[in-house]
Amino acid sequence: MQKIKYIILDEGWECLWGVWQANWKFPEGLEELCRRIKADGYIPGIWTAPLMVSYFTPLYRNHPDWFVSHADGNVHLTTLSYGTMAQLDITVPAVQDHLRRIYTTLKQNCFEYFKVDFTQMIMDAERFHDTQIGRAKIVRKVFRIIRESIGEESYLLSCGGPFESVIGIADACRISTDIHNYWSMIAQNIR
């Protein structure tokens, strides 16, 4: 019998997408949660969507120059079932510092497994601060920053990121979409 090794805190722990801090469900904070997970003999992990920022966050309102845009200069917004999202422009130096702070903090909270999602959506953007960097390198840059922030000893899972962009940086790539408790989700992923 295979023993469970990881306990992963998936979507729903954060205040809002882009505000990667514990919400009201975790009054003792993430560090205490990690301590309890480790005390029970497991390795704590966490899910994030590092480039996605809810339209309703102060981050979006206070830093309009941090986001990718359409050719006309308007922020590129994407509507998901989670709400309207803008995407951080990793070619902006302040955004790179912002991501380093997020992942350094999560690592300091004692997470050792990092599930990174939705980075492939940046490929739909038309305009970046740095016009010389290619699309595949943009996603690679995201994962390099995360890897540097969490260290080589942490496990890094790419969900949806293009394989060629994360090879050599991520430990693994998820190759399917989410599987819920519906047969249609299973059938979709079987392909």
Side-chain angles (χ1 to χ4, degrees):
M1 178 182 245
Q2 180 72 22
K3 182 183 175 206
I4 295 173
K5 186 174 181 179
Y6 298 99
I7 303 293
I8 311 299
L9 191 57
D10 214 305
E11 196 269 327
W13 66 270
E14 70 286 345
C15 294
L16 278 170
W17 285 27
V19 182
W20 303 111
Q21 299 167 353
N23 61 27
W24 59 271
K25 298 174 192 172
F26 303 92
E28 296 175 343
L30 296 177
E31 192 168 4
E32 176 59 21
L33 175 69
C34 286
R35 188 196 64 72
R36 289 185 7 221
I37 290 170
K38 285 184 171 190
D40 288 340
Y42 302 105
I43 298 171
I46 195 158
W47 168 91
T48 56
L51 300 180
M52 306 301 281
V53 176
S54 172
Y55 180 77
F56 298 104
T57 62
L59 178 64
Y60 176 77
R61 288 190 307 275
N62 296 338
H63 299 285
D65 57 325
W66 281 18
F67 299 95
V68 295
S69 61
H70 294 288
D72 64 8
N74 289 318
V75 173
H76 175 86
L77 297 175
T78 304
T79 301
L80 304 171
S81 57
Y82 312 98
T84 302
M85 304 284 170
Q87 297 173 66
L88 290 169
D89 183 346
I90 196 64
T91 70
V92 174
V95 169
Q96 296 172 26
D97 293 339
H98 173 73
L99 285 184
R100 283 185 187 95
R101 281 190 300 275
I102 290 168
Y103 286 94
T104 299
T105 300
L106 292 172
K107 178 65 177 177
Q108 289 170 346
N109 287 156
C110 296
F111 286 104
E112 297 179 32
Y113 184 109
F114 296 84
K115 180 180 176 186
V116 178
D117 210 350
F118 288 92
T119 57
Q120 77 281 5
M121 296 195 68
I122 198 73
M123 307 297 252
D124 293 334
E126 296 173 351
R127 194 161 148 197
F128 298 85
H129 172 75
D130 181 348
T131 59
Q132 303 303 309
I133 189 168
R135 302 283 170 124
K137 286 186 178 179
I138 287 172
V139 174
R140 192 160 184 82
K141 191 170 197 67
V142 172
F143 277 86
R144 274 203 181 114
I145 288 170
I146 294 170
R147 175 55 76 193
E148 290 166 5
S149 301
I150 65 173
E152 291 296 326
E153 70 284 355
S154 295
Y155 195 88
L156 179 56
L157 173 65
S158 169
C159 294
F163 303 143
E164 62 274 13
S165 295
V166 300
I167 194 163
I169 301 172
D171 294 296
C173 297
R174 186 182 79 177
I175 59 170
S176 67
T177 60
D178 290 343
I179 297 178
H180 300 278
N181 59 339
Y182 301 106
W183 175 252
S184 60
M185 295 299 297
I186 294 169
Q188 176 183 338
N189 280 290
I190 287 174
R191 286 186 265 130

